Amino acid sequence: MKNLLLLPIRVLSLGTGAKSFAGNPVIGSPLLNRLGLHVARLVLADRAMAFRRLLLSPTVAAGDRAAFRRDGFILKSDFLPAAEFAALEAEIRALRAPGRACHQGDTITHRILLDHHALAGLPTARRLLSDRRYRRLLGYVAGRLRVPGQWVQTIRSGVLPGPPDPQTNLHIDTFQPTMKAWLFLDDVDEASGPFTYVPGSHRLTRSRLAYEYRRSLGERDSPDRLSARGSLRVPVTDLPGLGLPAPRAFAVKRNTLVVADTRGLHRRGDVLRRPSDRMEIWAMARTNPFNPLPGLPFAWCDRLDLALYRAWLEHQDTRAAKRGGQPSWRLVPPAEGS
């Protein structure tokens, strides 16, 4: 009876970014996916994003567009003037604000949301987030006019007892094109878990479609929890069959900006020196996958996004408290997050 009552909602969720094969019997249906449901959602989301990026293409340089089309990412070394970067780094390292932390395997990811409350005391960070060049690069890859969510992110690897961080497995975030960006405040070398990306893996080729079609038929019952939830884990040995090169690790200097489509194959690199930590300004945007328009550049839309995000976090807090546990992203007081 419960499944019958929820069926209309689950069908309607096909028009959203819902991705879980295990959590939604419609999305995970082997019969419907054999008929092409998953592939149809992939193609429609891809075409909608392509149109949005086309509309925004005049806002970024031709060389950046070409690099993104080829590789799936844009890399900018020495992104900020040296004095501006030094001021930004000093501000962020001195920041003491409530945040949230997620424990995965042996790794803690800590984030502080850069909302208007946090930015009130961060003039250099405000300038970065309003910088036209920065906003346009992120907006082009995200396919949206509005400011994406921004956080101060610190990744501490090898600091907990437990298995390896699951983010070190090569994966895609979801079926739709998405944007994530990193402005690194620390040097990142090969030993400290660098962001790693398979160049060109953002493209929806015939090989990629065939691969995702095969995976969709049985992913609902996958023993890998994250794959079953729609974030497919992909063995490196599958790359040649997809016509893809070896992954590229971003061992980069501080003040490097990377903006990537994380529908492409990526992972957090292996940490060879433990414990290891790095700090960055991190941004993410994941919009409705089937909307062909880049949205409205109004500040009230950004405020609404933040209000909905906070409401979702509070809902997760409430649910976890009722179960006597903690949410995936747990509250961290300022002293712990510093």
Side-chain angles (χ1 to χ4, degrees):
M1 180 61 70
K2 179 182 177 181
N3 287 335
L4 285 174
L5 291 173
L6 290 175
L7 184 60
I9 296 173
R10 287 166 170 165
V11 171
L12 289 173
S13 71
L14 294 176
T16 72
K19 64 177 183 175
S20 178
F21 295 101
N24 186 321
V26 178
I27 292 173
S29 167
L31 173 60
L32 293 177
N33 286 324
R34 190 172 294 279
L35 294 173
L37 173 63
H38 179 64
V39 168
R41 296 183 84 216
L42 280 168
V43 173
L44 289 173
D46 181 77
R47 293 299 85 205
M49 179 60 86
F51 184 68
R52 282 153 55 186
R53 286 174 177 156
L54 177 65
L55 294 177
L56 295 173
S57 60
T59 65
V60 295
D64 292 331
R65 297 198 305 270
F68 178 74
R69 286 195 300 269
R70 181 187 66 242
D71 298 324
F73 59 83
I74 299 169
L75 184 149
K76 295 286 188 182
S77 301
D78 298 318
F79 180 70
L80 292 175
E84 189 75 359
F85 178 76
L88 174 68
E89 182 184 9
E91 268 186 9
I92 297 302
R93 294 196 187 281
L95 176 63
R96 299 294 181 267
R100 296 219 172 222
C102 180
H103 295 191
Q104 290 186 296
D106 63 359
T107 298
I108 298 174
T109 302
H110 178 269
R111 292 177 187 160
I112 298 173
L113 178 65
L114 290 176
D115 58 9
H116 65 282
H117 297 295
L119 290 170
L122 302 171
T124 315
R126 284 203 309 274
R127 286 197 297 273
L128 170 68
L129 270 58
S130 61
D131 179 270
R132 183 173 295 180
R133 184 170 61 121
Y134 178 76
R135 290 175 60 126
R136 286 179 172 180
L137 285 171
L138 272 60
Y140 173 70
V141 176
R144 60 182 274 170
L145 288 167
R146 301 207 315 277
V147 180
Q150 312 259 350
W151 291 259
V152 175
Q153 176 168 273
T154 304
I155 299 171
R156 300 184 176 113
S157 301
V159 297
L160 296 175
D165 176 5
Q167 300 306 320
T168 59
N169 296 321
L170 199 63
H171 65 279
I172 62 172
D173 282 350
T174 183
F175 72 95
Q176 69 181 92
T178 60
M179 185 283 297
K180 287 183 180 176
W182 300 257
L183 178 62
F184 295 101
L185 302 181
D186 291 306
D187 292 342
V188 183
D189 60 25
E190 294 279 0
S192 56
F195 174 66
T196 301
Y197 195 92
V198 178
S201 61
H202 65 301
R203 293 193 294 267
L204 207 57
T205 62
R206 287 178 178 269
S207 297
R208 173 72 175 269
L209 284 172
Y211 181 83
E212 294 232 17
Y213 175 79
R214 293 192 298 272
R215 293 287 299 265
S216 72
L217 301 182
E219 216 57 49
R220 179 188 66 182
D221 303 315
S222 172
D224 184 285
R225 179 178 60 90
L226 294 173
S227 291
R229 291 169 58 184
S231 180
L232 297 181
R233 268 45 194 170
V234 178
V236 176
T237 52
D238 288 356
L239 294 182
L242 289 165
L244 292 171
R248 171 183 170 180
F250 288 79
V252 296
K253 295 294 184 182
R254 63 208 307 173
N255 197 16
T256 297
L257 174 68
V258 176
V259 189
D261 182 346
T262 52
R263 184 183 66 179
L265 296 166
H266 63 284
R267 72 185 187 101
R268 191 175 292 160
D270 297 322
V271 177
L272 306 179
R273 183 176 58 251
R274 297 169 182 269
S276 175
D277 66 84
R278 72 166 187 258
M279 182 180 284
E280 57 218 13
I281 305 293
W282 182 79
M284 186 186 87
R286 186 179 299 174
T287 57
N288 182 288
F290 309 113
N291 178 10
L293 300 176
L296 301 170
F298 298 142
W300 67 265
C301 296
D302 299 326
R303 290 194 294 269
L304 178 60
D305 277 352
L306 285 174
L308 292 173
Y309 174 70
R310 289 195 192 93
W312 178 81
L313 288 174
E314 290 168 3
H315 175 65
Q316 299 303 310
D317 292 339
T318 302
R319 287 185 60 192
K322 288 180 178 178
R323 298 194 302 265
Q326 295 195 67
S328 298
W329 286 94
R330 60 195 69 180
L331 282 166
V332 179
E336 285 187 51
S338 60

